[in-house]
Short mmCIF file of all heavy atoms in Angstrom, two decimals:
data_model
loop_
_atom_site.label_atom_id
_atom_site.label_comp_id
_atom_site.label_asym_id
_atom_site.label_seq_id
_atom_site.Cartn_x
_atom_site.Cartn_y
_atom_site.Cartn_z
N LEU A 805 89.94 145.88 93.16
CA LEU A 805 89.00 145.17 92.27
C LEU A 805 87.83 146.03 91.83
O LEU A 805 87.50 146.02 90.62
CB LEU A 805 88.47 143.88 92.97
CG LEU A 805 89.54 142.86 93.34
CD1 LEU A 805 88.87 141.65 93.99
CD2 LEU A 805 90.28 142.38 92.06
N LEU A 808 88.91 148.21 88.96
CA LEU A 808 89.09 147.45 87.67
C LEU A 808 87.74 147.19 87.07
O LEU A 808 87.56 147.25 85.81
CB LEU A 808 89.79 146.11 87.95
CG LEU A 808 91.24 146.23 88.43
CD1 LEU A 808 91.76 144.82 88.82
CD2 LEU A 808 92.13 146.80 87.35
N PRO A 825 92.34 142.50 81.41
CA PRO A 825 92.97 142.92 82.68
C PRO A 825 94.43 142.47 82.75
O PRO A 825 94.74 141.27 82.48
CB PRO A 825 92.09 142.18 83.74
CG PRO A 825 91.30 141.19 83.02
CD PRO A 825 91.27 141.55 81.58
N MET A 829 95.88 141.09 89.81
CA MET A 829 95.21 141.05 91.13
C MET A 829 94.43 139.74 91.26
O MET A 829 93.83 139.27 90.29
CB MET A 829 94.21 142.23 91.29
CG MET A 829 94.82 143.61 91.37
SD MET A 829 95.94 143.83 92.75
CE MET A 829 97.45 144.08 91.83
N ASP A 830 94.47 139.16 92.47
CA ASP A 830 93.71 137.89 92.64
C ASP A 830 92.21 138.13 92.55
O ASP A 830 91.69 139.14 93.09
CB ASP A 830 94.00 137.30 94.05
CG ASP A 830 95.42 136.71 94.08
OD1 ASP A 830 95.92 136.36 92.99
OD2 ASP A 830 95.96 136.56 95.17
N GLY A 831 91.52 137.28 91.88
CA GLY A 831 90.02 137.32 91.83
C GLY A 831 89.47 138.35 90.89
O GLY A 831 88.27 138.58 90.81
N ARG A 832 90.34 138.99 90.07
CA ARG A 832 89.78 140.12 89.23
C ARG A 832 88.89 139.59 88.14
O ARG A 832 87.87 140.25 87.78
CB ARG A 832 90.88 140.96 88.64
CG ARG A 832 91.62 140.38 87.42
CD ARG A 832 93.04 140.44 87.65
NE ARG A 832 93.85 140.36 86.41
CZ ARG A 832 94.36 139.20 85.92
NH1 ARG A 832 94.05 138.04 86.46
NH2 ARG A 832 95.14 139.23 84.85
N VAL A 833 89.20 138.41 87.58
CA VAL A 833 88.36 137.94 86.46
C VAL A 833 86.95 137.67 86.96
O VAL A 833 85.94 138.09 86.36
CB VAL A 833 88.99 136.69 85.82
CG1 VAL A 833 88.03 136.03 84.84
CG2 VAL A 833 90.29 137.02 85.12
N GLY A 834 86.83 136.94 88.11
CA GLY A 834 85.51 136.62 88.64
C GLY A 834 84.74 137.89 89.05
O GLY A 834 83.55 138.02 88.80
N TYR A 835 85.47 138.85 89.59
CA TYR A 835 84.86 140.09 90.05
C TYR A 835 84.28 140.87 88.87
O TYR A 835 83.16 141.30 88.84
CB TYR A 835 85.86 140.93 90.81
CG TYR A 835 85.24 142.07 91.61
CD1 TYR A 835 85.08 141.97 92.96
CD2 TYR A 835 84.92 143.28 91.00
CE1 TYR A 835 84.50 143.00 93.70
CE2 TYR A 835 84.37 144.32 91.69
CZ TYR A 835 84.17 144.19 93.06
OH TYR A 835 83.63 145.20 93.78
N ILE A 836 85.15 140.99 87.82
CA ILE A 836 84.74 141.74 86.64
C ILE A 836 83.55 141.03 85.96
O ILE A 836 82.55 141.63 85.56
CB ILE A 836 85.90 141.91 85.64
CG1 ILE A 836 86.94 142.87 86.25
CG2 ILE A 836 85.42 142.46 84.30
CD1 ILE A 836 88.28 142.94 85.45
N ARG A 837 83.68 139.70 85.85
CA ARG A 837 82.61 138.89 85.21
C ARG A 837 81.28 139.13 85.90
O ARG A 837 80.25 139.33 85.19
CB ARG A 837 83.04 137.42 85.27
CG ARG A 837 81.95 136.45 84.78
CD ARG A 837 81.76 136.55 83.28
NE ARG A 837 82.80 135.90 82.55
CZ ARG A 837 83.17 136.25 81.27
NH1 ARG A 837 82.55 137.19 80.67
NH2 ARG A 837 84.13 135.60 80.66
N GLU A 838 81.28 139.11 87.22
CA GLU A 838 79.99 139.27 87.92
C GLU A 838 79.38 140.64 87.68
O GLU A 838 78.20 140.77 87.42
CB GLU A 838 80.26 139.11 89.42
CG GLU A 838 79.06 138.66 90.17
CD GLU A 838 79.37 138.35 91.60
OE1 GLU A 838 80.41 137.69 91.90
OE2 GLU A 838 78.57 138.81 92.50
N VAL A 839 80.21 141.69 87.71
CA VAL A 839 79.73 143.04 87.42
C VAL A 839 79.18 143.13 86.02
O VAL A 839 78.16 143.75 85.79
CB VAL A 839 80.82 144.09 87.75
CG1 VAL A 839 80.40 145.45 87.30
CG2 VAL A 839 81.19 144.09 89.20
N LEU A 840 79.89 142.53 85.06
CA LEU A 840 79.42 142.60 83.66
C LEU A 840 78.07 141.91 83.51
O LEU A 840 77.16 142.43 82.86
CB LEU A 840 80.41 141.89 82.74
CG LEU A 840 81.79 142.51 82.56
CD1 LEU A 840 82.54 141.81 81.42
CD2 LEU A 840 81.72 144.00 82.22
N ILE A 850 86.53 138.19 78.24
CA ILE A 850 87.68 138.58 79.06
C ILE A 850 88.89 137.80 78.59
O ILE A 850 88.87 136.57 78.58
CB ILE A 850 87.40 138.34 80.55
CG1 ILE A 850 86.13 139.10 81.01
CG2 ILE A 850 88.63 138.75 81.40
CD1 ILE A 850 85.79 138.92 82.48
N MET A 851 89.89 138.53 78.17
CA MET A 851 91.21 137.94 77.77
C MET A 851 92.20 138.38 78.85
O MET A 851 92.77 139.45 78.76
CB MET A 851 91.63 138.41 76.41
CG MET A 851 92.94 137.91 75.88
SD MET A 851 93.57 138.77 74.43
CE MET A 851 92.67 137.96 73.15
N ALA A 852 92.34 137.58 79.89
CA ALA A 852 93.18 138.03 81.03
C ALA A 852 94.65 137.75 80.76
O ALA A 852 95.01 136.73 80.17
CB ALA A 852 92.72 137.33 82.28
N HIS A 853 95.51 138.67 81.20
CA HIS A 853 96.93 138.32 81.30
C HIS A 853 97.00 137.35 82.47
O HIS A 853 97.36 137.70 83.61
CB HIS A 853 97.76 139.55 81.64
CG HIS A 853 97.85 140.56 80.56
ND1 HIS A 853 99.04 140.80 79.88
CD2 HIS A 853 96.97 141.42 80.02
CE1 HIS A 853 98.83 141.74 78.95
NE2 HIS A 853 97.56 142.13 79.05
N SER A 854 96.63 136.09 82.20
CA SER A 854 96.51 135.10 83.33
C SER A 854 97.87 134.77 83.85
O SER A 854 98.06 134.53 85.04
CB SER A 854 95.86 133.87 82.76
OG SER A 854 94.61 134.13 82.23
N LEU A 897 93.22 129.12 87.94
CA LEU A 897 92.37 130.06 88.76
C LEU A 897 91.49 130.91 87.84
O LEU A 897 90.30 131.06 88.07
CB LEU A 897 93.24 130.93 89.59
CG LEU A 897 93.84 130.34 90.86
CD1 LEU A 897 94.85 131.22 91.52
CD2 LEU A 897 92.73 129.99 91.89
N ASP A 898 92.07 131.45 86.76
CA ASP A 898 91.30 132.27 85.89
C ASP A 898 90.27 131.47 85.13
O ASP A 898 89.14 131.96 84.85
CB ASP A 898 92.23 132.98 84.81
CG ASP A 898 92.91 134.23 85.43
OD1 ASP A 898 92.68 134.47 86.65
OD2 ASP A 898 93.62 134.92 84.72
N ILE A 899 90.58 130.22 84.81
CA ILE A 899 89.56 129.39 84.13
C ILE A 899 88.36 129.16 85.09
O ILE A 899 87.22 129.25 84.69
CB ILE A 899 90.17 128.02 83.72
CG1 ILE A 899 91.21 128.26 82.57
CG2 ILE A 899 89.12 127.03 83.26
CD1 ILE A 899 92.06 127.04 82.27
N ALA A 900 88.70 128.93 86.35
CA ALA A 900 87.62 128.73 87.37
C ALA A 900 86.78 129.97 87.52
O ALA A 900 85.61 129.93 87.91
CB ALA A 900 88.23 128.36 88.70
N GLU A 901 87.36 131.15 87.21
CA GLU A 901 86.59 132.41 87.29
C GLU A 901 85.93 132.78 85.97
O GLU A 901 85.47 133.90 85.79
CB GLU A 901 87.51 133.53 87.77
CG GLU A 901 88.01 133.36 89.21
CD GLU A 901 89.03 134.39 89.63
OE1 GLU A 901 88.97 135.53 89.16
OE2 GLU A 901 89.89 134.05 90.45
N ASP A 902 85.94 131.83 84.99
CA ASP A 902 85.20 132.06 83.77
C ASP A 902 85.86 133.00 82.77
O ASP A 902 85.20 133.73 82.06
CB ASP A 902 83.80 132.61 84.07
CG ASP A 902 82.73 131.53 83.82
OD1 ASP A 902 83.09 130.54 83.17
OD2 ASP A 902 81.60 131.74 84.27
N VAL A 903 87.16 132.91 82.67
CA VAL A 903 87.87 133.70 81.64
C VAL A 903 87.59 133.12 80.27
O VAL A 903 87.24 131.91 80.16
CB VAL A 903 89.37 133.70 82.00
CG1 VAL A 903 90.06 132.41 81.55
CG2 VAL A 903 90.09 134.91 81.41
N ASP A 904 87.63 133.93 79.19
CA ASP A 904 87.38 133.42 77.84
C ASP A 904 88.64 133.11 77.06
O ASP A 904 88.64 132.24 76.17
CB ASP A 904 86.60 134.47 77.05
CG ASP A 904 85.24 134.76 77.66
OD1 ASP A 904 84.39 133.89 77.60
OD2 ASP A 904 85.09 135.82 78.28
N PHE A 905 89.72 133.88 77.30
CA PHE A 905 91.02 133.62 76.66
C PHE A 905 92.08 133.68 77.74
O PHE A 905 91.99 134.52 78.65
CB PHE A 905 91.41 134.76 75.69
CG PHE A 905 90.47 135.09 74.59
CD1 PHE A 905 89.28 135.72 74.77
CD2 PHE A 905 90.84 134.77 73.26
CE1 PHE A 905 88.43 136.08 73.75
CE2 PHE A 905 90.02 135.10 72.21
CZ PHE A 905 88.82 135.75 72.45
#
Side-chain angles (χ1 to χ4, degrees):
L805 299 181
L808 294 173
M829 292 300 115
D830 286 338
R832 79 231 201 267
V833 171
Y835 194 99
I836 292 170
R837 173 69 76 206
E838 205 175 314
V839 172
L840 294 188
I850 302 179
M851 179 192 277
H853 290 250
S854 301
L897 283 170
D898 280 3
I899 293 169
E901 292 175 32
D902 252 345
V903 78
D904 298 289
F905 302 73

